[in-house]
Amino acid sequence: MRFSSLLVAVATAASTAQAYWLADMPHRGIAPFAQANYPVFRNVRDYGARGDGRTDDTAAINAAINAGNPCNRGCTSTTTTPGIVYFPAGTYLISSSILPAYFTHLVGDASSPPTLKATANFQGFGLIDGNPYYTDVLNWKAVNVFFRQVRNFVIDTTAIPPGTAATGMHWPTSQATSLQNIVFNMPTTPDVVHVGLFIEEGSGGMIADLTFNGGAAGASMGNQQYTMRNLRFNNCKTAIIQIWNWGWTYHGLSINNCGVGIDLSAGGSNNIAVGSVTLFDSTFTNTPIAIKTAWTPSANPPTAGSLVIENIELNNVGVAVQGPSGTMLGGTSGSSTIQAWALGHLLDRGTNVPRFSGPINPNPRPASLLGSNGRYYVRTKPQYESTPASSFLSVRTFGARGDASSDDTAALQNAINTAVAQNKILFLDHGMYRVTSTIVIPPSARIVGEAYPVILSSGQYFNDMDNPRPVVQVGTSSGQAGYVELSDFIVATQNAQAGAICIEYNLATTGGQPSGMWDVHVRIGGFTGTQQQIGQCLKRPGSAAVDRNCIVAFMAMHVTKGARGLYMENVWLWTADHDIDEHLNTQITIYTGRGLLIESTEGPLWLWGTGSEHHVLYQYQLTSTQNVFMGQIQTESPYFAPLPNSLVPFPPLAKYSDPDYRAQCVGIPGNCAAAWGLRVQNSKNVLVYGAGLYSFFDNYSTACSTFDAGQTCQQRITSVEGSGENVAVYNLNTIGTREMVTRNGNMVAGSGFSENRNTFASNVGVYRA
């Protein structure tokens, strides 16, 4: 009798337990250019997955992924078949790899993350294989794998024999991708050879909130650049093996009871493969060697292996940094903190030491940029784990069509206003929402997208270069008080939009936590529905003529003077260089005037894992601002330059403090009138922890971007102008550029490309204005 009562009680509790809102709410998203009735949202249980820990769910999960025939094996890339594949709580037994399609998100129950558990005889390269080797090359070109997420999982390889090679996740991807809230469980026996996360190629990317337990290596990774924060490693033989990179930023690492913390020795001293690493606000505990490096004063390439560490806590760590010949920086049997220490080229306010090793002064940190623990402030993307589905409103219920052709301006604005008035979260069901006038996001708005829906500007309202207007305006006026949370959607333009400011950010958030933008991207051109593809704007090498119909945006994003308290994470502001939806990824020529302009007079602002690419005048410009943190920014100059160069088609406007290349380039040789990667004007407390500023092309030829060719794609790429108080860049990496840093119009001594030769980029380990 008592046993029966217990069963009833358990059943009642299960039936009344609140499910995660993403599973509970209706899904009305459409993919307007996919087949009819294409399923954007799929629950793996609807495809036969049991999640009971006994049934082999591999086939059912892959069936859910492939429903509707999305872009998978043999497909180059696409935006037309997006997907969210949802996993309720449970344990999903799998015997071979889960193979997510292009533009497909795998999302587990955030309130009770599901487990993917390998069988003992598991076959495959990763329980999740994000880019399979069907042949001897990856299915997708890693540097073109964009717009995908995996979050909220436990990945368990413990049933696979420890001595059998096994990988938790294979993830060679690039911009606008993210991993979040994932635990990797591996065996801890001495013979273990398992690896949690493996990345061998790509151009990332953002990874946050991962835990690695056991294994031979928690993470083994090579990629052009990455931002990674809040990673925890417990009982790994080696926490991180860095295979290769150009630049990598780690924040908030917690490495516990591992043999080696971070191994940067790949390639050895005669051919170092690791370009640069920036590590800060991290802790090593009970780990004999915190960092292992191949760097020596005579290593090759000359600046490879650049390492900058700041605010690193050691607890029972014998060696902080070990080089090829022994200890370079000692540890402690107790507890101590490394304030700041570096290997590499030091350019610090007139000090020029090409092969520096030793302690450095840490960056002065403004209090407004710090959390309560004294570290730089971070915040995980909200997933509203305890919020019921009844607290969400669907934009489709307000009449928004999302078909890329209907005018959804009024319906979308009404949905946003109603959600704010009712203190609810707006769910932006997948679709392409065409708007013909500005969409205003007021204070207190919370908006969550489904598989990256698109707000698409269109029409003459946004096509006047002399009267630019925002597509999405956060706050009605600069300095308006308020707070917002925005995540997982895209702002884009359709056809000619010479006056479109894709995002204008005005809010001043003070006190408490800042406003946030997570996985909010600007994607201009190169995809179906934009009318900015090969049919309209095919590249024309050798021609400097500008097609006025291919001037498609005025600016990607503007943070105005009165704005304050904005946290941005994994935000990619991309003007497309190629047509994502064309099977050859053929290049296109389209023109966007400006990337990200920050004019906030007070700050603070945080930019974690952001990128800005292919804008004509600059990628990042900071004007008369202060208290800005930037973690591993990444830029690329336009591929068509210098035909035309940055003198056209956007004349410099004093209102926006635009660079005047005609004046700036007097007497400067080479391709001077070329987009700045980073321009800092009259600003204070601008702290950059990793930067990759790249110029790969001269009129669509990459012949200019090698050391042998003389890095002639453009002459200059980083400019610090005016006062420049406490402006610092750790691990500045440039490609295709002869002068790495310009200060008030003059090249900084020691910042020539050739004297800073690294793996593929040139590198300056520490630059302070």
Side-chain angles (χ1 to χ4, degrees):
M1 187 70 178
R2 281 191 287 179
F3 180 66
S4 299
S5 299
L6 179 61
L7 289 178
V8 171
V10 170
T12 301
S15 65
T16 58
Q18 178 180 298
Y20 184 45
W21 65 268
L22 187 61
D24 269 2
M25 70 178 302
H27 289 273
R28 305 178 177 90
I30 65 166
F33 299 102
Q35 65 186 43
N37 301 314
Y38 175 85
V40 174
F41 180 87
R42 299 150 232 165
N43 187 321
V44 296
R45 298 288 180 90
D46 295 335
Y47 293 81
R50 301 288 295 273
D52 58 10
R54 300 184 303 275
T55 305
D56 188 336
D57 286 325
T58 312
I61 292 169
N62 282 324
I65 288 171
N66 287 306
N69 192 30
C71 179
N72 217 315
R73 184 172 183 173
C75 170
T76 304
S77 62
T78 188
T79 66
T80 63
T81 52
I84 286 185
V85 178
Y86 176 72
F87 293 69
T91 297
Y92 297 84
L93 198 65
I94 58 174
S95 56
S96 60
S97 296
I98 292 171
L99 305 170
Y102 196 95
F103 206 3
T104 296
H105 302 176
L106 305 185
V107 180
D109 182 336
S111 59
S112 181
T115 296
L116 302 177
K117 187 172 179 62
T119 60
N121 61 348
F122 178 88
Q123 299 293 312
F125 190 19
L127 276 65
I128 297 176
D129 190 347
N131 199 348
Y133 284 99
Y134 294 118
T135 64
D136 59 351
V137 297
L138 292 167
N139 186 56
W140 297 293
K141 191 174 182 179
V143 294
N144 287 343
V145 178
F146 312 135
F147 305 110
R148 65 195 319 199
Q149 302 177 8
V150 177
R151 48 191 162 103
N152 312 323
F153 287 95
V154 176
I155 295 176
D156 189 335
T157 67
T158 57
I160 301 173
T164 299
T167 302
M169 179 179 292
H170 178 219
W171 191 248
T173 60
S174 290
Q175 290 88 351
T177 65
S178 61
L179 303 179
Q180 177 188 351
N181 191 28
I182 302 172
V183 176
F184 296 84
N185 288 331
M186 296 171 280
T188 57
T189 54
D191 61 336
V192 65
V193 296
H194 295 197
V195 175
L197 173 65
F198 180 67
I199 301 171
E200 76 275 37
E201 292 185 40
S203 180
M206 184 76 206
I207 289 178
D209 306 321
L210 271 55
T211 298
F212 300 85
N213 298 315
S220 179
M221 301 178 293
N223 196 283
Q224 291 177 10
Q225 71 282 313
Y226 244 109
T227 300
M228 296 186 172
R229 62 163 193 80
N230 192 27
L231 308 186
R232 176 177 291 271
F233 299 85
N234 303 311
N235 303 301
C236 308
K237 288 183 177 179
T238 300
I240 297 171
I241 298 174
Q242 199 84 66
I243 304 170
W244 70 277
N245 71 36
W246 299 344
W248 212 282
T249 293
Y250 292 110
H251 176 269
L253 298 188
S254 177
I255 296 177
N256 310 292
N257 304 303
C258 296
V260 175
I262 307 176
D263 188 343
L264 308 178
S265 64
S269 299
N270 291 325
N271 189 26
I272 295 178
V274 176
S276 63
V277 168
T278 306
L279 167 69
F280 56 114
D281 292 350
S282 296
T283 302
F284 295 80
T285 299
N286 297 329
T287 297
I289 300 171
I291 301 170
K292 185 178 179 181
T293 179
W295 189 95
T296 70
S298 59
N300 185 61
T303 67
S306 179
L307 171 67
V308 182
I309 60 179
E310 185 180 276
N311 189 33
I312 304 301
E313 299 177 20
L314 305 178
N315 302 298
N316 189 28
V317 172
V319 177
V321 180
Q322 177 178 286
S325 300
T327 300
M328 300 180 70
L329 178 61
T332 177
S333 59
S335 298
S336 65
T337 299
I338 302 168
Q339 298 298 322
W341 193 89
L343 300 172
H345 192 170
L346 181 68
L347 289 176
D348 190 348
R349 299 181 180 93
T351 300
N352 180 1
V353 184
R355 290 181 179 251
F356 177 86
S357 64
I360 61 173
N361 293 321
N363 284 332
R365 299 183 176 192
S368 62
L369 288 173
L370 306 183
S372 58
N373 58 3
R375 297 180 172 187
Y376 284 108
Y377 177 84
V378 296
R379 185 178 171 205
T380 293
K381 178 170 69 177
Q383 298 196 70
Y384 308 108
E385 296 92 331
S386 59
T387 304
S390 59
S391 293
F392 289 79
L393 294 180
S394 163
V395 70
R396 295 293 304 282
T397 63
F398 289 81
R401 300 286 296 270
D403 58 11
S405 58
S406 301
D407 189 339
D408 283 327
T409 311
L412 179 56
Q413 190 65 67
N414 185 27
I416 293 171
N417 294 344
T418 302
V420 170
Q422 296 182 7
N423 192 29
K424 292 189 175 182
I425 301 166
L426 182 66
F427 185 64
L428 203 59
D429 310 79
H430 189 84
M432 296 180 68
Y433 298 92
R434 179 175 168 269
V435 299
T436 54
S437 60
T438 298
I439 295 296
V440 177
I441 298 178
S444 301
R446 292 173 293 168
I447 301 176
V448 178
E450 178 188 42
Y452 288 139
V454 179
I455 298 174
L456 186 70
S457 76
S458 183
Q460 289 306 307
Y461 183 84
F462 298 109
N463 199 26
D464 185 352
M465 191 185 296
D466 296 324
N467 185 24
R469 296 182 169 106
V471 179
V472 171
Q473 185 181 53
V474 185
T476 55
S477 60
S478 186
Q480 181 183 18
Y483 171 86
V484 294
E485 293 176 354
L486 311 174
S487 58
D488 295 312
F489 63 88
I490 290 170
V491 181
T493 60
Q494 184 183 71
N495 215 321
Q497 297 283 266
I501 299 173
C502 294
I503 301 174
E504 179 182 280
Y505 190 89
N506 292 308
L507 284 186
T509 305
T510 57
Q513 61 188 5
S515 291
M517 292 172 54
W518 298 265
D519 297 277
V520 174
H521 307 294
V522 171
R523 185 178 72 201
I524 301 169
F527 65 99
T528 306
T530 61
Q531 300 167 28
Q532 301 162 356
Q533 298 177 265
I534 59 171
Q536 299 82 26
C537 301
L538 181 67
K539 71 173 181 178
R540 294 187 293 177
S543 173
V546 174
D547 185 340
R548 309 300 293 187
N549 292 318
C550 297
I551 303 176
V552 295
F554 182 89
M555 183 185 298
M557 182 172 176
H558 185 192
V559 180
T560 63
K561 294 178 181 179
R564 298 183 62 183
L566 174 61
Y567 180 93
M568 299 169 60
E569 184 170 287
N570 202 31
V571 172
W572 189 33
L573 310 175
W574 185 51
T575 296
D577 56 89
H578 66 273
D579 190 336
I580 308 174
D581 287 319
E582 193 262 341
H583 72 285
L584 295 177
N585 279 179
T586 300
Q587 291 172 325
I588 57 175
T589 296
I590 57 178
Y591 304 93
T592 299
R594 301 147 186 87
L596 173 59
L597 173 60
I598 297 176
E599 295 187 294
S600 169
T601 57
E602 296 293 329
L605 284 88
W606 298 263
L607 284 72
W608 288 94
T610 64
S612 180
E613 299 189 57
H614 311 143
H615 312 290
V616 169
L617 294 175
Y618 57 79
Q619 312 313 318
Y620 290 89
Q621 178 167 301
L622 287 70
T623 298
S624 301
T625 188
Q626 62 180 323
N627 304 326
V628 180
F629 169 88
M630 307 173 82
Q632 196 59 50
I633 61 172
Q634 183 260 329
T635 75
E636 289 184 14
S637 300
Y639 292 0
F640 52 76
L643 288 176
N645 62 19
S646 292
L647 298 178
V648 294
F650 298 92
L653 300 176
K655 177 181 178 181
Y656 294 97
S657 302
D658 286 339
D660 183 351
Y661 288 107
R662 291 191 190 277
Q664 290 181 349
C665 289
V666 173
I668 304 299
N671 181 18
C672 172
W676 291 115
L678 172 64
R679 185 181 189 219
V680 181
Q681 299 176 285
N682 297 309
S683 294
K684 176 182 178 182
N685 297 334
V686 175
L687 304 171
V688 184
Y689 285 69
L693 311 181
Y694 310 142
S695 187
F696 292 113
F697 291 86
D698 182 325
N699 194 221
Y700 293 103
S701 168
T702 59
C704 61
S705 62
T706 66
F707 285 103
D708 290 343
Q711 302 278 2
T712 59
C713 303
Q714 65 188 71
Q715 188 69 19
R716 311 185 297 185
I717 203 163
T718 310
S719 182
V720 180
E721 304 167 21
S723 55
E725 180 183 345
N726 194 26
V727 173
V729 184
Y730 287 163
N731 281 317
L732 171 64
N733 292 284
T734 69
I735 291 172
T737 305
R738 296 186 65 79
E739 302 178 16
M740 296 182 67
V741 185
T742 303
R743 181 74 170 98
N744 288 327
N746 299 307
M747 185 178 80
V748 173
S751 70
F753 78 96
S754 59
E755 60 203 290
N756 292 296
R757 184 168 185 155
N758 203 285
T759 53
F760 189 78
S762 297
N763 172 273
V764 170
V766 178
Y767 168 72
R768 292 185 173 118

